[in-house]
């Protein structure tokens, strides 16, 4: 059985009060804090890097689930490890040639390795990374095009999630993009257990209620039917 992990996307938080926002999310029941690192090259947007992770780490013990939308993930491993990142998820699109070395370095730096795939990338491309001698420990299925928050959920990506869940029953499978009360049931039913949610949490009158709803949906979908 895989456990639900609800990860509010801090890209949607108030960056001027990041420590307070992190504490608020954890107090409201978040399991992880999802941190979007974008380099302005792999994706057009430019967000945060290791200095912000290092600053935030001084104020929280939370699991910092770092998603690196960058062209050269290898360049970030050492600095992210030193900064206090918990998870390091890179994109398969930029790591076809060196993923084995990359995964080893991530683990050596004390972080949990994950691999992400864009909507246009075939799910088969991540199989070797899950089945390798030094495997990734999570697969992130993007349910929007990466780079910007607030996009609409792409339901056809659930085929990828379902395929992964059938193939790897104990794998952490994360979904990111457009997740909220109206889309969580489809994601949970397909087999996703790690849920990234930005605007649906931070834009809600009661963010804690949304976090609870997301968790309950995953729990309901993953519990064995009697």
């Amino acid at each position: 059985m895989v456990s639900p992990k609800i990860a509010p996307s801090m890209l949607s938080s108030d960056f001027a009060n990041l420590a307070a926002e992190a504490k608020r999310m954890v107090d409201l029941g978040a399991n992880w804090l999802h941190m979007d690192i974008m380099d302005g090259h792999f994706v057009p947007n430019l967000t945060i890097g290791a200095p912000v992770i290092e600053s935030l780490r001084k104020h929280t013990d939370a699991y910092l689930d770092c998603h690196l939308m960058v062209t050269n993930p290898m360049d970030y491993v050492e600095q992210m490890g030193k900064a206090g990142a918990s998870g390091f998820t890179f994109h398969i699109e930029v790591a076809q040639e060196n993923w084995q070395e990359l995964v080893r370095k991530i683990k050596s730096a004390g972080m949990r390795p994950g691999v992400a795939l864009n909507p246009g990338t075939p799910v088969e491309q991540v199989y070797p990374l899950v089945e390798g001698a030094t495997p990734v420990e999570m697969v992130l299925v993007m349910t929007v095009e990466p780079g910007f928050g607030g996009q609409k959920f792409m339901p056809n990506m659930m085929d990828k999630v379902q395929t992964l869940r059938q193939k790897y029953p104990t794998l952490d499978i994360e979904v990111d993009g457009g997740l909220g009360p109206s889309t969580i049931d489809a994601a949970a039913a397909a087999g996703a257990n790690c849920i990234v949610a930005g605007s649906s949490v931070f834009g809600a009158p009661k963010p804690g209620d949304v976090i609870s709803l997301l968790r309950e949906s995953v729990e309901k979908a993953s519990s064995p039917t009697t």
Side-chain angles (χ1 to χ4, degrees):
M1 288 287 289
V2 287
S3 61
K5 299 171 182 82
I6 309 306
S9 178
M10 301 307 288
L11 188 63
S12 296
S13 74
D14 176 4
F15 269 20
N17 295 289
L18 196 54
E21 291 281 68
K23 183 180 187 304
R24 180 166 73 108
M25 289 299 111
V26 172
D27 289 348
L28 289 173
N31 303 95
W32 292 354
L33 300 175
H34 188 78
M35 312 298 296
D36 285 311
I37 288 87
M38 306 183 193
D39 65 357
H41 187 266
F42 179 71
V43 289
N45 206 359
L46 183 68
T47 56
I48 61 169
V52 174
I53 301 298
E54 186 177 8
S55 296
L56 181 59
R57 177 50 80 206
K58 294 170 185 171
H59 298 275
T60 184
D61 295 327
Y63 185 98
L64 299 180
D65 174 39
C66 297
H67 174 200
L68 284 94
M69 287 163 271
V70 300
T71 303
N72 298 303
M74 195 77 80
D75 295 346
Y76 292 76
V77 176
E78 186 179 352
Q79 56 182 289
M80 293 298 289
K82 286 180 177 174
S86 309
F88 186 111
T89 299
F90 59 90
H91 270 261
I92 186 60
E93 296 85 4
V94 293
Q96 296 276 12
E97 306 301 319
N98 66 348
W99 63 263
Q100 289 160 308
E101 183 190 357
L102 183 54
V103 171
R104 280 196 297 271
K105 283 198 169 181
I106 292 166
K107 289 177 79 83
S108 295
M111 297 176 289
R112 190 168 182 253
V115 64
L117 65 160
N118 285 342
T121 302
V123 70
E124 293 80 11
Q125 287 194 15
V126 303
Y127 294 172
L129 285 74
V130 180
E131 297 169 10
T134 308
V136 294
E137 297 176 34
M138 183 177 78
V139 174
L140 165 54
V141 175
M142 292 302 299
T143 47
V144 296
E145 293 294 342
F148 295 93
Q151 295 182 65
K152 283 191 74 172
F153 175 78
M154 299 167 72
N156 53 331
M157 291 302 109
M158 292 308 95
D159 290 347
K160 291 182 183 178
V161 175
Q162 199 163 16
T163 299
L164 287 166
R165 178 56 69 216
Q166 287 169 353
K167 197 168 172 64
Y168 309 112
T170 61
L171 178 68
D172 272 338
I173 301 173
E174 187 168 64
V175 284
D176 179 4
L179 273 304
S182 64
T183 52
I184 181 59
D185 286 349
N193 67 299
C194 305
I195 311 297
V196 178
S199 31
S200 68
V201 170
F202 285 96
K206 294 184 176 179
D209 289 355
V210 177
I211 291 171
S212 297
L213 184 152
L214 298 174
R215 178 178 291 103
E216 286 162 13
S217 180
V218 174
E219 287 173 342
K220 184 179 173 186
S222 60
S223 63
T225 50
T226 51

